[in-house]
Amino acid sequence: MPDSQPQPPHSPFPSGPAGHGSLLLSGARLADGRVVDVRLCGGRIEAVGTAGSLTAARPSGPGTRVDLTGYLLLPAPAEPHAHGDTALTADAPGPVSHQPEDVQRRVTEAVLLQLGHGATALRAHVRVGDVSGLGALIAVLRARRTLRGLAELTAVAMPRVLTGVAGADGLAMLRDAVKMGADVVGGCPDLDPDPAGYVEAVLEVAAEHGCPVDLHTDAADPARLARLAAMAGGLRPGVTLGPCDGLGRLPADVAGRAADQLAAAGVAVLCLPQGSCAQGDGGGADRREGIAPVRLLRAAGVRVAAGSGALRDVSNPVGRGDPLEAAYLLASRHGLRPEEAYDAVSGAARATLGLPEVRVEAGFPAELLAVRGDRLSGALSLAYGRIVVHRGRVVARTSAVREYGDSTASAELGLPRQGRGERPE
């Protein structure tokens, strides 16, 4: 199978200016089994009708229609936990460069890889302070401007230490990061000598600027987690914790009480089914088995989203950054139904990022992913061919061709064949 390659803006696929023009997606199958036409206009879904019932809003021609026969059409996934500043560094021949231009190149490549998988919105966790200062954040903000129209990229500022004498610089750096354009205040309280003081400082800065909070924590200390939930409960627009894999190592009754506390506080949990990442310290990952107890958390009423985490860095040299792989693992290893698993990387992930809900219904944002297949379970299993729609236009396309030595055998038996599919008209 060839590598996934997002199509550039000048590709032959429908790609008018973001948010403008009309596009008809014809013959797509929805998760409920219906086969429909979907018309997009102005960055939103304008109409959904039975197959063959809709036409393009303007005269048919190049770039006005995409035949999705053989594809399952879904709300696009989102990536709520990326580390773009360290992505794609596992095979670096020498010391990793943290020069802004090198970081920007890595971030851009990483976002395009994940866009090809279907993620039209991404949250990058970026270290600030220490030797790199604000250089990595500057690079991510530049990449965000470059990628506008292809994908939505937001940045989480992650200082290392925020308490005591050593934390004064980190706190000043965090405030500067928000003023520069960081969208979310974050970090790793587990690395600070005073974890509770770290959380208090983060929440204070977030409240000052009206920012969401996204914290890395193992969540293995139930007393510390209870204090965090109590402090975070009143903050809006919201608090997310992840990866919380330590919560899964606690006794069931202790983990259950912690889940109830998080639910009462309205705190979301972001799990990493593909493996933990280096929690903001640049070191190797803690390779303990397991993830946050997703079923227990969901049963308690906690919003559980899933992210990819490390993308081929020292934490996970083979990380794929694929939301559908995260959903596959939730379904195959952690007991979620395919619909629940996909929601963790789509609906719940978008809600965690503060983005509007997406449904394949009129009036909703045109953020969509078409995957070859006719059922969600099959799409999570094999998801080779993908067509990604952002703001109502096709921004990435991945195709695969499967061939066998004796092609007549499959034809005689009437077996399904994976092909290139139809090109856009």
Side-chain angles (χ1 to χ4, degrees):
M1 184 180 71
D3 290 339
S4 301
Q5 291 294 338
Q7 297 298 325
H10 58 274
S11 75
F13 305 121
S15 56
H20 298 283
S22 171
L23 177 64
L24 181 66
L25 308 177
S26 64
R29 184 176 296 276
L30 302 184
D32 62 9
R34 290 180 294 149
V35 178
V36 299
D37 290 347
V38 181
R39 188 166 61 225
L40 315 178
C41 188
R44 305 192 80 81
I45 299 172
E46 185 179 66
V48 178
T50 56
S53 67
L54 298 182
T55 59
R58 52 192 169 95
S60 181
T64 62
R65 178 177 177 271
V66 176
D67 185 356
L68 292 185
T69 302
Y71 283 85
L72 184 69
L73 188 62
L74 303 165
E79 176 51 74
H81 195 107
H83 287 273
D85 55 339
T86 59
L88 309 174
T89 57
D91 297 323
V96 174
S97 171
H98 295 288
Q99 292 299 314
E101 58 271 19
D102 294 323
V103 176
Q104 181 181 350
R105 182 169 59 252
R106 293 198 300 265
V107 170
T108 302
E109 183 179 356
V111 170
L112 290 176
L113 282 170
Q114 294 186 267
L115 175 65
H117 292 318
T120 62
L122 304 95
R123 175 179 282 183
H125 295 250
V126 187
R127 290 172 295 177
V128 299
D130 296 330
V131 177
S132 61
L134 293 170
L137 178 63
I138 291 170
V140 170
L141 296 179
R142 288 175 180 169
R144 176 168 69 185
R145 290 192 292 270
T146 301
L147 292 161
R148 188 168 291 131
L150 288 173
E152 302 297 330
L153 178 64
T154 55
V156 185
M158 294 179 54
R160 182 179 175 86
V161 178
L162 290 180
T163 65
V165 176
D169 288 343
L171 192 55
M173 193 77 69
L174 180 59
R175 287 193 163 93
D176 287 343
V178 175
K179 292 174 184 175
M180 282 178 55
D183 309 274
V184 185
V185 180
C188 185
D190 298 355
L191 299 178
D192 194 284
D194 179 5
Y198 188 105
V199 172
E200 187 175 351
V202 165
L203 295 177
E204 181 180 342
V205 173
E208 288 174 5
H209 297 274
C211 295
V213 168
D214 195 330
L215 292 170
H216 289 56
T217 180
D218 182 61
D221 184 332
R224 184 186 300 172
L225 190 62
R227 288 195 298 271
L228 195 159
M231 288 189 286
L235 184 73
R236 296 293 178 267
V239 176
T240 302
L241 303 181
C244 296
D245 45 303
L247 194 58
R249 299 191 295 270
L250 297 175
D253 58 334
V254 177
R257 286 194 296 273
D260 290 339
Q261 291 163 348
L262 294 173
V267 174
V269 169
L270 189 287
C271 68
L272 298 177
Q274 296 167 79
S276 280
C277 57
Q279 299 181 358
D281 62 345
D286 181 348
R287 306 306 295 177
R288 292 172 179 162
E289 291 295 325
I291 66 169
V294 292
R295 295 179 66 186
L296 181 148
L297 290 165
R298 285 173 54 89
V302 177
R303 175 186 293 142
V304 179
S308 300
L311 175 57
R312 284 162 42 198
D313 65 14
V314 67
S315 301
N316 187 354
V318 295
R320 296 180 183 176
D322 185 353
L324 268 63
E325 183 186 32
Y328 158 79
L329 290 170
L330 287 176
S332 66
R333 297 184 60 185
H334 301 288
L336 297 193
R337 294 184 295 108
E339 295 78 12
E340 295 170 336
Y342 189 75
D343 178 71
V345 301
S346 58
R350 286 184 61 86
T352 298
L353 298 183
L355 297 171
E357 182 183 10
V358 173
R359 299 182 194 169
V360 188
E361 298 177 13
F364 285 86
E367 303 289 322
L368 303 168
L369 171 63
V371 185
R372 272 209 169 274
D374 58 3
R375 291 180 178 83
L376 185 56
S377 57
L380 295 186
S381 175
L382 289 177
Y384 290 151
R386 306 186 195 188
I387 298 174
V388 186
V389 175
H390 172 53
R391 294 189 185 180
R393 70 187 189 112
V394 174
V395 292
R397 185 178 186 123
T398 302
S399 60
V401 177
R402 178 182 295 148
E403 297 179 340
Y404 300 97
D406 182 5
S407 60
T408 59
S410 60
E412 290 173 358
L413 294 173
L415 299 178
R417 177 177 180 275
Q418 176 125 17
R420 289 183 173 83
E422 297 296 323
R423 304 288 288 181
E425 294 181 1

